[in-house]
Amino acid sequence: MAKLVSKTYGDALFEVALEENKVDTLFEEAYAVREILAVSKELNQLMDQPKITKEDKIKIMEETFGERVSGEITGLIKLLITKGHYQDTVDVLDYFIGLVKEEKKIGIAYVSSAIALSGARKKEIEKKLLDTTSYESFEVHYEVDESLIGGMVIRIGDRVVDSSIKSKLYELTKELKKIQVGV
Protein backbone atom coordinates (compact mmCIF):
# COMPACT_ATOMS: atom_id res chain seq x y z
CA MET A 1 0.00 0.00 0.00
CA ALA A 2 2.80 2.44 0.89
CA LYS A 3 4.40 1.94 -2.54
CA LEU A 4 1.11 2.66 -4.25
CA VAL A 5 0.69 5.85 -2.20
CA SER A 6 4.27 6.92 -2.97
CA LYS A 7 3.84 6.26 -6.68
CA THR A 8 0.42 7.89 -6.97
CA TYR A 9 1.29 11.12 -5.16
CA GLY A 10 4.92 11.22 -6.33
CA ASP A 11 3.83 10.86 -9.97
CA ALA A 12 1.23 13.60 -9.49
CA LEU A 13 3.79 16.01 -8.02
CA PHE A 14 6.20 15.20 -10.84
CA GLU A 15 3.52 15.91 -13.47
CA VAL A 16 2.79 19.26 -11.82
CA ALA A 17 6.52 20.05 -11.71
CA LEU A 18 6.85 19.34 -15.44
CA GLU A 19 3.68 21.21 -16.43
CA GLU A 20 4.59 24.29 -14.42
CA ASN A 21 8.29 24.14 -15.34
CA LYS A 22 9.22 23.94 -11.64
CA VAL A 23 11.20 20.72 -11.60
CA ASP A 24 14.33 22.25 -10.05
CA THR A 25 12.44 24.36 -7.50
CA LEU A 26 10.16 21.54 -6.35
CA PHE A 27 13.12 19.14 -6.28
CA GLU A 28 15.04 21.41 -3.90
CA GLU A 29 11.98 22.03 -1.73
CA ALA A 30 11.04 18.34 -1.63
CA TYR A 31 14.59 17.45 -0.66
CA ALA A 32 14.66 20.04 2.14
CA VAL A 33 11.22 19.04 3.51
CA ARG A 34 12.15 15.36 3.32
CA GLU A 35 15.30 15.99 5.35
CA ILE A 36 13.38 17.95 7.98
CA LEU A 37 10.68 15.29 8.30
CA ALA A 38 13.24 12.48 8.40
CA VAL A 39 15.10 13.96 11.39
CA SER A 40 12.32 15.76 13.29
CA LYS A 41 11.17 13.15 15.80
CA GLU A 42 9.11 15.67 17.76
CA LEU A 43 7.17 16.82 14.71
CA ASN A 44 6.47 13.25 13.61
CA GLN A 45 5.39 12.25 17.11
CA LEU A 46 3.04 15.22 17.17
CA MET A 47 1.63 14.32 13.74
CA ASP A 48 1.11 10.70 14.86
CA GLN A 49 -1.10 11.69 17.79
CA PRO A 50 -4.59 10.32 17.14
CA LYS A 51 -6.16 12.96 19.41
CA ILE A 52 -5.00 15.78 17.16
CA THR A 53 -7.53 16.43 14.39
CA LYS A 54 -6.58 16.46 10.71
CA GLU A 55 -7.41 20.16 10.60
CA ASP A 56 -4.98 20.88 13.45
CA LYS A 57 -2.31 18.74 11.77
CA ILE A 58 -2.78 20.77 8.59
CA LYS A 59 -2.36 23.99 10.60
CA ILE A 60 0.84 22.60 12.13
CA MET A 61 2.22 21.85 8.67
CA GLU A 62 1.16 25.26 7.34
CA GLU A 63 2.94 26.96 10.24
CA THR A 64 6.00 24.77 9.79
CA PHE A 65 6.39 25.01 6.00
CA GLY A 66 3.80 27.51 4.69
CA GLU A 67 6.08 30.51 4.12
CA ARG A 68 9.16 28.45 3.28
CA VAL A 69 8.01 26.21 0.44
CA SER A 70 5.71 26.48 -2.55
CA GLY A 71 2.00 25.80 -2.56
CA GLU A 72 2.59 22.55 -4.46
CA ILE A 73 4.60 21.02 -1.63
CA THR A 74 2.35 22.29 1.15
CA GLY A 75 -0.69 21.23 -0.88
CA LEU A 76 0.76 17.75 -1.22
CA ILE A 77 1.37 17.48 2.53
CA LYS A 78 -2.16 18.76 3.28
CA LEU A 79 -3.63 16.23 0.86
CA LEU A 80 -1.65 13.40 2.44
CA ILE A 81 -2.88 14.43 5.89
CA THR A 82 -6.48 14.71 4.68
CA LYS A 83 -6.34 11.25 3.06
CA GLY A 84 -4.76 9.71 6.18
CA HIS A 85 -1.37 9.12 4.55
CA TYR A 86 0.86 11.55 6.46
CA GLN A 87 3.11 8.65 7.53
CA ASP A 88 3.94 8.13 3.82
CA THR A 89 5.09 11.73 3.23
CA VAL A 90 8.82 10.94 3.32
CA ASP A 91 8.29 7.98 0.96
CA VAL A 92 6.29 10.17 -1.46
CA LEU A 93 9.02 12.81 -1.44
CA ASP A 94 11.70 10.11 -1.91
CA TYR A 95 9.79 8.76 -4.91
CA PHE A 96 9.44 12.25 -6.40
CA ILE A 97 13.14 12.98 -5.83
CA GLY A 98 13.98 9.69 -7.58
CA LEU A 99 11.83 10.67 -10.58
CA VAL A 100 13.58 14.01 -10.86
CA LYS A 101 17.01 12.39 -10.63
CA GLU A 102 15.98 9.93 -13.35
CA GLU A 103 14.80 12.85 -15.51
CA LYS A 104 18.13 14.62 -14.98
CA LYS A 105 20.05 11.38 -15.70
CA ILE A 106 21.48 11.19 -12.20
CA GLY A 107 21.96 7.57 -11.21
CA ILE A 108 21.81 6.36 -7.64
CA ALA A 109 24.10 3.47 -6.82
CA TYR A 110 24.61 1.54 -3.60
CA VAL A 111 28.00 -0.13 -3.31
CA SER A 112 28.70 -2.65 -0.56
CA SER A 113 32.23 -3.93 -0.15
CA ALA A 114 33.98 -6.18 2.33
CA ILE A 115 36.48 -3.44 3.22
CA ALA A 116 36.47 0.35 3.04
CA LEU A 117 37.35 1.55 -0.45
CA SER A 118 40.06 4.12 -1.16
CA GLY A 119 39.25 7.39 -2.90
CA ALA A 120 41.00 6.16 -6.06
CA ARG A 121 38.98 2.92 -6.07
CA LYS A 122 35.75 4.89 -5.61
CA LYS A 123 36.64 7.07 -8.60
CA GLU A 124 37.29 3.93 -10.69
CA ILE A 125 33.90 2.53 -9.74
CA GLU A 126 32.12 5.80 -10.54
CA LYS A 127 33.89 6.03 -13.93
CA LYS A 128 32.92 2.43 -14.74
CA LEU A 129 29.30 3.15 -13.77
CA LEU A 130 29.21 6.20 -16.04
CA ASP A 131 30.80 4.23 -18.91
CA THR A 132 28.35 1.33 -18.64
CA THR A 133 25.07 3.19 -18.09
CA SER A 134 23.16 6.02 -19.72
CA TYR A 135 23.48 8.27 -16.66
CA GLU A 136 25.43 11.52 -16.85
CA SER A 137 26.36 11.57 -13.17
CA PHE A 138 26.04 9.34 -10.13
CA GLU A 139 25.17 9.66 -6.48
CA VAL A 140 27.00 6.72 -4.94
CA HIS A 141 26.40 5.45 -1.41
CA TYR A 142 29.17 3.27 -0.03
CA GLU A 143 28.92 0.83 2.85
CA VAL A 144 31.19 -1.81 4.34
CA ASP A 145 29.67 -5.29 4.75
CA GLU A 146 32.28 -7.65 6.15
CA SER A 147 29.99 -10.65 5.53
CA LEU A 148 30.79 -10.33 1.79
CA ILE A 149 34.29 -11.71 2.60
CA GLY A 150 35.68 -10.03 -0.54
CA GLY A 151 34.52 -8.32 -3.71
CA MET A 152 31.48 -6.06 -3.83
CA VAL A 153 27.79 -5.73 -4.58
CA ILE A 154 26.53 -2.81 -6.67
CA ARG A 155 22.82 -1.96 -6.82
CA ILE A 156 21.30 0.58 -9.19
CA GLY A 157 17.52 0.56 -8.93
CA ASP A 158 16.42 -3.04 -9.37
CA ARG A 159 19.67 -4.12 -11.06
CA VAL A 160 22.29 -5.86 -8.94
CA VAL A 161 25.84 -6.84 -9.82
CA ASP A 162 27.16 -9.23 -7.19
CA SER A 163 30.85 -10.10 -7.42
CA SER A 164 31.22 -10.91 -3.73
CA ILE A 165 33.08 -13.96 -2.50
CA LYS A 166 30.05 -14.73 -0.31
CA SER A 167 27.74 -15.20 -3.32
CA LYS A 168 30.38 -17.14 -5.25
CA LEU A 169 30.78 -19.53 -2.32
CA TYR A 170 27.00 -19.89 -2.12
CA GLU A 171 26.79 -20.78 -5.83
CA LEU A 172 29.69 -23.22 -5.49
CA THR A 173 27.95 -24.89 -2.54
CA LYS A 174 24.76 -25.28 -4.57
CA GLU A 175 26.70 -26.87 -7.43
CA LEU A 176 28.56 -29.25 -5.11
CA LYS A 177 25.28 -30.40 -3.56
CA LYS A 178 24.05 -31.37 -7.02
CA ILE A 179 27.00 -33.67 -7.56
CA GLN A 180 26.27 -37.20 -6.40
CA VAL A 181 29.22 -38.73 -4.63
CA GLY A 182 30.31 -42.21 -5.80
CA VAL A 183 27.92 -42.56 -8.71
Side-chain angles (χ1 to χ4, degrees), residues 16-127:
V16 169
L18 288 174
E19 287 172 12
E20 296 183 8
N21 201 21
K22 291 185 172 183
V23 173
D24 291 333
T25 303
L26 293 180
F27 173 76
E28 290 172 16
E29 290 179 359
Y31 197 84
V33 169
R34 186 232 172 271
E35 291 299 307
I36 291 167
L37 294 178
V39 298
S40 182
K41 292 178 185 165
E42 296 85 14
L43 179 60
N44 288 321
Q45 287 173 343
L46 184 63
M47 295 300 288
D48 285 340
Q49 291 298 320
K51 292 183 181 180
I52 298 177
T53 66
K54 288 180 181 180
E55 292 77 20
D56 287 340
K57 289 178 182 181
I58 288 172
K59 285 180 189 171
I60 292 168
M61 283 295 127
E62 285 175 337
E63 290 171 8
T64 305
F65 297 113
E67 298 291 320
R68 295 176 184 88
V69 297
S70 65
E72 290 85 359
I73 298 292
T74 54
L76 171 69
I77 295 170
K78 288 182 202 177
L79 184 60
L80 289 168
I81 292 169
T82 302
K83 298 290 186 179
H85 295 297
Y86 172 78
Q87 71 279 4
D88 298 315
T89 304
V90 169
D91 292 334
V92 171
L93 294 174
D94 280 341
Y95 185 85
F96 169 75
I97 290 166
L99 289 174
V100 174
K101 287 181 179 180
E102 213 39 59
E103 175 81 8
K104 294 178 169 285
K105 296 197 176 283
I106 301 170
I108 302 170
Y110 296 89
V111 178
S112 299
S113 58
I115 59 170
L117 300 173
S118 68
R121 184 70 176 126
K122 288 178 180 179
K123 286 191 186 307
E124 287 175 29
I125 291 168
E126 290 172 30
K127 182 180 180 336

